[in-house]
Amino acid sequence: MGICDGRVVIVTGAGRGLGRAHALAFAEQGAKVVVNDLGVAQDGSDPSDTPAQQVVDEIVAAGGEAITSSHDVADWDAAGEMVQSAIDTFGGLDVVVNNAGIVRDRMFVNSEQSEWEAVLRVHVMGHAAPSRHAATYWRARSKAGEPVDARIINTSSGAGLMGSIAQAAYSAAKGAIASLTLVQAAELGRIGVTANALAPAARTRMTEEAFADMMAEVDEGAFDAMAPENVSPLVVWLGSPESADVTGRVFEVEGGIIGIAEGFRHGPRFDKGARWDPAEVGPVVADLLQEATPPTPVYGAG
C-alpha cells in the first residue's frame, strides 16, 4: 500500500532528471502514471520517445501502471490531448506535476528574442496549458456533484524567487510560475484542487552544465544531496490525499532539507495623506529601506 494508491498522475518532462524521479516515486506509492517527455536534446532538437518509454518500462517491470506521452505541453491543444489520454486510459486524473523546462543561459545584455520566447513558452505555457485542461475536467466533476481531491504541483526555482545571474529569461519564467501557483490555489480551492510549487536544487541536465562543481556526484556511500530522488518524496506527498489542507505554498527542497519560501509581503509604509512632491520622496524611501528586511541576494551576485 502506498500513499497514492489508485491516483492518476501526469508528470511532464519525466524522461530524465527530476521528472523521472517523480514518476518512479509516484508509481512506487501506487499511482498510475502518464510519463510525458519529448525526449529532446537540451537545445530542443532530436525528439525521441526513448526516455519516456524507458521510464514506463521501469514502472511496468516493478509491477506498476504507466503510459508514455510525447505531447508538447506548451501547445494548448496537445496539452489537452495529454490530459484526455490520462482520463481515457486510467479513468480519471488526480494530479498534474508540471516539471518540463529548458534553459538558455546568457547575460541579460546579450540575450536574444528567440531565447526569451523559447524559455517562456516551455515554462509558462508548459505549466499553464496542462493545468488549465486538468482544471476544466475537475470543475466539470465538481459541478456534477462528484468529489474532487486533486493537485497541481508546479516547478519554480530559486532563480525564480531570488533571481540568478546569466539566467534572466529562466528567472522571469520561474517567477511567473510561482505567481501562477498563488492564483491557481486561490481560484481552484473551492472545487477541491490544491496548487503548490517547488523550488528544488538537484542534479539535472540543466544544472549540471550551469553549476558543475555544486552538482558533482559524491563518493560512493556518502549522502548525495544533489540526487533528484531527494526531491520526489515531497512531490509524492503533495500529490497524495494527505496534503489536502496545503495550498498556495512554494517549497524549497535540497538534499534532506524541506523549507517553505516566504515571498513578497506588505512591508513598511508611510502615508502622507496627500499627494507627494517628488523632492519629498527620497528621505521617506530611505527611512522605509532602513525598516525593511534586506532582500536575499541574487544567485551568483558578488
Side-chain angles (χ1 to χ4, degrees):
M1 294 288 289
I3 65 170
C4 287
D5 272 350
R7 287 173 79 75
V8 179
V9 180
I10 292 173
V11 183
T12 71
R16 303 179 177 93
L18 282 167
R20 173 182 177 274
H22 299 342
L24 293 173
F26 269 111
E28 185 178 348
Q29 291 297 318
K32 303 170 185 178
V33 186
V34 176
V35 179
N36 167 265
D37 203 292
L38 291 179
V40 296
Q42 290 201 70
D43 64 1
S45 64
D46 301 324
S48 169
D49 293 338
T50 301
Q53 187 60 56
Q54 288 174 338
V55 176
V56 168
D57 291 344
E58 285 187 66
I59 291 172
V60 172
E65 296 182 62
I67 61 169
T68 62
S69 158
S70 58
H71 297 91
D72 178 357
V73 294
D75 179 278
W76 196 263
D77 292 338
E81 291 168 4
M82 177 184 66
V83 168
Q84 193 59 50
S85 176
I87 296 166
D88 291 344
T89 303
F90 296 124
L93 177 64
D94 301 291
V95 182
V96 174
V97 181
N98 292 306
N99 170 77
I102 62 171
V103 292
R104 296 290 186 269
D105 291 349
R106 197 186 295 270
M107 297 299 283
F108 177 70
V109 72
N110 296 322
S111 59
E112 302 287 345
Q113 177 179 339
S114 61
E115 295 165 346
W116 279 90
E117 290 175 345
V119 171
L120 292 172
R121 178 182 185 275
V122 173
H123 287 281
V124 180
M125 288 305 299
H127 275 63
S131 301
R132 163 64 167 74
H133 289 289
T136 299
Y137 166 70
W138 292 324
R139 182 178 62 180
R141 286 188 56 198
S142 178
K143 286 186 174 181
E146 300 176 30
V148 176
D149 185 28
R151 308 283 182 268
I152 296 171
I153 304 171
N154 294 326
T155 307
S156 182
S157 167
L161 305 179
M162 289 87 178
S164 180
I165 296 294
Q167 293 190 311
Y170 180 75
S171 297
K174 289 302 193 181
I177 289 166
S179 296
L180 170 64
T181 303
L182 301 180
V183 176
Q184 290 172 331
E187 292 186 356
L188 300 176
R190 61 186 177 82
I191 61 171
V193 181
T194 70
N196 293 284
L198 310 170
R203 185 183 306 110
T204 68
R205 287 193 299 171
M206 292 188 292
T207 59
E208 279 183 312
E209 185 173 307
F211 309 104
D213 292 341
M214 183 189 302
M215 296 299 161
E217 295 192 25
V218 301
D219 295 335
E220 186 175 350
F223 177 51
D224 186 359
M226 290 298 114
E229 290 78 9
N230 297 330
V231 178
S232 300
L234 173 63
V235 178
V236 173
W237 183 83
L238 286 172
S240 76
E242 295 182 13
S243 67
D245 60 345
V246 179
T247 194
R249 295 290 189 169
V250 179
F251 290 87
E252 295 182 284
V253 194
E254 176 181 341
I257 301 169
I258 296 175
I260 295 179
E262 295 186 338
F264 287 115
R265 60 181 67 241
H266 296 301
R269 63 177 76 185
F270 182 84
D271 183 4
K272 177 184 175 181
R275 183 181 302 135
W276 290 92
D277 184 286
E280 299 176 308
V281 171
V284 175
V285 170
D287 288 343
L288 293 176
L289 289 173
Q290 286 293 321
E291 296 179 48
T293 302
T296 301
V298 170
Y299 285 108

